[in-house]
Amino acid sequence: MDNSPHILIVDDDREIRDLLGRFLQKHGCRVTTARDGREMRAALEDWSIALIVLDLMLPGEDGLTLCRELRANSEIPIIMLTAMGEETDRIVGLELGADDYVAKPFNPRELLARIKAVLRRGSERAEAPPADGGQFARFAGWTLDLARRHLRSPDDVAVTLTTGEYELLVAFVDHPQRVLSRDQLLDFTRGRSAAPFDRSVDIQVSRLRRKIEADSAAPELIKTVRSGGYMFTPAVERS
Amino acid sequence: MDNSPHILIVDDDREIRDLLGRFLQKHGCRVTTARDGREMRAALEDWSIALIVLDLMLPGEDGLTLCRELRANSEIPIIMLTAMGEETDRIVGLELGADDYVAKPFNPRELLARIKAVLRRGSERAEAPPADGGQFARFAGWTLDLARRHLRSPDDVAVTLTTGEYELLVAFVDHPQRVLSRDQLLDFTRGRSAAPFDRSVDIQVSRLRRKIEADSAAPELIKTVRSGGYMFTPAVERS
DNA sequence: GGAATTTGTAACGGCATGTAACGCACCGCG
DNA sequence: CGCGGTGCGTTACATGCCGTTACAAATTCC
């Protein structure tokens, strides 16, 4: 349950969320659930989701709407759940960018198999090309170039970051002014969940602070929240 | 009964309040009850509520009205109690933002199970994204930057606060000019209730005073209310 | 395949936080 | 006016969380 894929289940039916969630957890996935578009977006904010299982029928915004919205911003694989086995829905779903679909009532094993297949397929595929919007992130005078993986200090000096430091900084820049738990940070940077005595986040934070804090003994940019995690305090402006 | 979730029961029926309250307390919850919208709002002022059990039928403002009002300001999970098992009510309730609903007469165990499920889900969910409004709180010349966790003294010197001191000050700033009991302060800062001989609030107050009071022997900002708690006396202006 | 770099693990030390204990202020009482 | 009692401020530790260093494992780069 460490380096496992993080699956997001979006369904308004509590039974399905709970049963499917437990089933997938038993089979080596991390699982987060959401009942609607709002919770889905929140979960996508909070975790690095590997794949979304999306119900077609939802109160409020329905699955097709959400699917289209997701595809506009991201490449996250989607498996649609549909009560109707109609061919048209299948086609519409796939045309909107769903990677597969499963008709309800479904066999959990079948869904799991399709999840694995889609993930396997996805991992073979190219990494997402430079996601268009927001190539630069500016905070407290610093400039982070997301495309070139470059960081420039306020006095315009290039600072070289290791991969891990860069990923950590990106996680912070993507979620500023929020307390992020070590678990969330590991999910964002490494796609895994924290082991009981995992201190790797702490030392990466320590190393990153040494490079970007004026006084790493009194950090201003990355604040520690005791027994809570860390918080990136400056406002971030993207362009 | 220490680090337990604080449940607010809103129902006009004393039987239900008492029985359900005792049942939940026996199962490891802290419980506060309210008879109507007014008492509900008071309880939300006084405590850090983890979840609200809200009756649909209430004298005065009914549950749906309150539910909509709550959702306008907060993300606190809501479980609706409804006498009618009609599907329409369920849908209306859920669309207004209730997280689950239980039909009366209900089995307390079932309600408890749903409470736990909602809390589990909620804990996975996002903190509110950088809530834009009200990032600064000003009092007696001091400026507290809620986004950056910064405090500046009247003569514009940065004062570093520990996590605990910061949380305590936020609790005061959120509830100025009111007497706050130690129990309430613990609830706001740590989300737990006070143990019989718990003095931890006292010493945090002592430490905070040392940093923000001109003369910590004659405190002006944080006054002690004998056998009552503490009171944050200055007016707080937010922006 | 070997060297350099990066990253995680273990360990130590420092600091924040809570517990215990002491002393003082306030209060009702004789 | 003295006297205990209660409640609070504070100091002195104990505990646990966190920052950091040192080193080992893993990864990358030739």
Side-chain angles (χ1 to χ4, degrees):
Chain A
M1 195 104 42
D2 198 25
N3 200 350
S4 49
H6 200 155
I7 312 294
L8 174 61
I9 302 171
V10 186
D11 198 309
D12 61 320
D13 185 335
R14 197 170 67 85
E15 284 289 313
I16 290 188
R17 287 198 310 271
D18 289 0
L19 286 170
L20 180 56
R22 272 199 298 271
F23 178 82
L24 291 180
Q25 278 176 349
K26 267 185 199 156
H27 290 79
C29 300
R30 272 175 299 153
V31 173
T32 295
T33 62
R35 278 171 313 158
D36 51 31
R38 193 178 54 81
E39 290 191 4
M40 182 190 80
R41 280 182 281 271
L44 289 171
E45 275 289 297
D46 275 2
W47 304 102
S48 169
I49 299 296
L51 182 146
I52 301 175
V53 176
L54 180 59
D55 190 18
L56 186 68
M57 297 286 290
L58 289 173
E61 311 158 286
D62 77 6
L64 288 181
T65 309
L66 294 177
C67 184
R68 197 181 309 121
E69 176 193 316
L70 283 164
R71 271 296 166 271
N73 315 324
S74 82
E75 298 274 327
I76 298 179
I78 300 171
I79 294 182
M80 297 287 288
L81 282 185
T82 164
M84 316 164 259
E86 297 182 15
E87 192 72 4
T88 55
D89 283 321
R90 175 191 183 185
I91 290 174
V92 170
L94 293 178
E95 281 193 350
L96 281 176
D99 293 76
D100 205 343
Y101 88 111
V102 174
K104 283 202 269 191
F106 58 88
N107 178 345
R109 295 182 176 283
E110 184 195 346
L111 180 54
L112 178 62
R114 288 177 186 257
I115 287 173
K116 286 185 175 171
V118 169
L119 287 177
R120 198 167 344 104
R121 195 142 31 89
S123 68
E124 288 166 359
R125 201 173 52 195
E127 293 295 312
D132 38 75
Q135 296 300 33
F136 294 90
R138 275 173 253 276
F139 57 92
W142 293 79
T143 304
L144 182 66
D145 183 334
L146 283 310
R148 302 181 187 286
R149 302 187 145 229
H150 270 185
L151 179 65
R152 286 201 165 271
S153 73
D155 43 352
D156 213 44
V157 176
V159 174
T160 59
L161 297 176
T162 69
T163 307
E165 289 158 0
Y166 173 80
E167 300 288 351
L168 180 62
L169 182 55
V170 169
F172 279 130
V173 158
D174 283 342
H175 307 270
Q177 296 176 353
R178 285 184 38 196
V179 177
L180 298 174
S181 68
R182 291 166 193 5
D183 204 18
Q184 285 176 304
L185 288 168
L186 265 176
D187 193 37
F188 289 139
T189 57
R190 293 277 178 278
R192 62 182 175 88
S193 58
F197 291 95
D198 203 322
R199 300 285 310 279
S200 57
V201 169
D202 299 55
I203 81 153
Q204 283 294 49
V205 167
S206 172
R207 298 204 248 250
L208 182 56
R209 274 176 174 161
R210 214 175 302 159
K211 292 190 177 178
I212 69 172
E213 293 280 3
D215 175 10
S216 65
E220 288 296 313
L221 301 176
I222 305 174
K223 297 249 180 181
T224 303
V225 179
R226 176 175 249 250
S227 71
Y230 297 93
M231 180 167 134
F232 193 65
T233 61
V236 175
E237 182 198 346
R238 307 191 74 122
S239 58
Chain B
M1 194 105 42
D2 199 24
N3 201 350
S4 49
H6 200 154
I7 312 293
L8 174 60
I9 301 171
V10 185
D11 198 310
D12 60 320
D13 184 337
R14 200 171 66 85
E15 283 290 313
I16 289 188
R17 286 199 310 272
D18 289 0
L19 285 170
L20 180 56
R22 271 200 298 272
F23 178 83
L24 291 180
Q25 278 175 349
K26 266 185 200 158
H27 289 81
C29 300
R30 273 176 300 154
V31 174
T32 295
T33 61
R35 276 172 304 174
D36 51 32
R38 196 179 50 81
E39 290 191 5
M40 181 189 81
R41 278 183 281 271
L44 289 171
E45 274 291 298
D46 280 356
W47 303 102
S48 169
I49 299 295
L51 182 146
I52 301 175
V53 176
L54 181 58
D55 190 18
L56 187 68
M57 297 287 289
L58 288 174
E61 310 158 285
D62 77 6
L64 288 181
T65 308
L66 293 177
C67 184
R68 196 181 309 122
E69 176 193 315
L70 283 165
R71 270 295 166 272
N73 315 324
S74 83
E75 298 273 324
I76 298 179
I78 300 170
I79 294 182
M80 298 287 288
L81 283 185
T82 165
M84 316 164 259
E86 296 182 15
E87 190 72 4
T88 54
D89 285 320
R90 174 192 183 187
I91 289 173
V92 170
L94 292 178
E95 282 196 348
L96 281 176
D99 292 76
D100 206 342
Y101 86 112
V102 174
K104 284 202 271 192
F106 59 88
N107 177 345
R109 294 183 176 282
E110 185 193 346
L111 180 55
L112 178 62
R114 287 178 186 256
I115 286 173
K116 286 186 173 170
V118 169
L119 288 177
R120 192 169 350 103
R121 188 143 42 83
S123 68
E124 292 168 353
R125 201 171 55 191
E127 297 290 312
D132 33 68
Q135 296 298 37
F136 294 90
R138 276 174 252 277
F139 57 92
W142 294 79
T143 304
L144 182 66
D145 183 335
L146 283 311
R148 292 178 171 71
R149 300 186 147 233
H150 264 185
L151 179 65
R152 289 203 162 270
S153 72
D155 43 353
D156 213 44
V157 175
V159 174
T160 59
L161 297 177
T162 68
T163 304
E165 289 158 0
Y166 173 80
E167 301 287 353
L168 180 62
L169 183 55
V170 169
F172 278 130
V173 157
D174 282 342
H175 306 271
Q177 296 169 345
R178 285 183 41 196
V179 177
L180 298 174
S181 69
R182 288 159 228 285
D183 206 17
Q184 285 175 302
L185 288 168
L186 265 177
D187 194 37
F188 289 139
T189 56
R190 290 278 179 276
R192 61 181 175 89
S193 59
F197 291 94
D198 203 323
R199 300 285 311 278
S200 57
V201 169
D202 299 56
I203 102 157
Q204 282 294 50
V205 167
S206 172
R207 285 169 179 147
L208 182 56
R209 275 175 173 161
R210 217 174 298 162
K211 291 191 177 178
I212 69 172
E213 294 281 4
D215 176 9
S216 64
E220 287 296 315
L221 301 176
I222 305 174
K223 297 262 189 188
T224 303
V225 179
R226 191 183 169 87
S227 72
Y230 297 93
M231 184 164 111
F232 194 64
T233 60
V236 175
E237 181 199 345
R238 305 190 74 121
S239 58

